[in-house]
Amino acid sequence: MITALSSKAISLIFLGFVLIACSSMPTVNQDPAKNNKATYNKDFMECREDYPEVGSGAHYRQWISCMNLKGWK
């Protein structure tokens, strides 16, 4: 019973981190010429290739930092 409770608690904490990370993903580019869905998808896919997903969830912060470097805020 204790392990089931611990597992649920860990799952909820992880879900919370994922939701926070996703909600803070930059979506507006500083350069108006690049502020469109096609450029966003291209830049995001490049960041995902550069920083693959890891079990700890650290890749979300890396993706956000990568997008910030590309001008997305």
Side-chain angles (χ1 to χ4, degrees):
M1 176 146 176
I2 292 175
T3 57
L5 180 62
S6 298
S7 176
K8 286 183 181 181
I10 291 171
S11 296
L12 288 174
I13 291 171
F14 179 72
L15 179 63
F17 284 131
V18 169
L19 290 176
I20 291 170
C22 291
S23 67
S24 62
M25 188 65 71
T27 58
V28 178
N29 198 302
Q30 296 173 342
D31 182 357
K34 294 181 178 181
N35 196 14
N36 58 59
K37 188 165 181 77
T39 305
Y40 177 85
N41 288 338
K42 178 184 162 286
D43 288 347
F44 186 62
M45 290 307 294
E46 288 174 0
C47 290
R48 287 185 67 180
E49 289 174 5
D50 291 342
Y51 302 101
E53 293 185 25
V54 293
S56 66
H59 58 279
Y60 292 112
R61 283 185 282 145
Q62 292 172 325
W63 291 349
I64 292 169
S65 296
C66 178
M67 292 296 280
N68 288 334
L69 287 173
K70 292 178 179 279
W72 295 92
K73 300 292 176 195

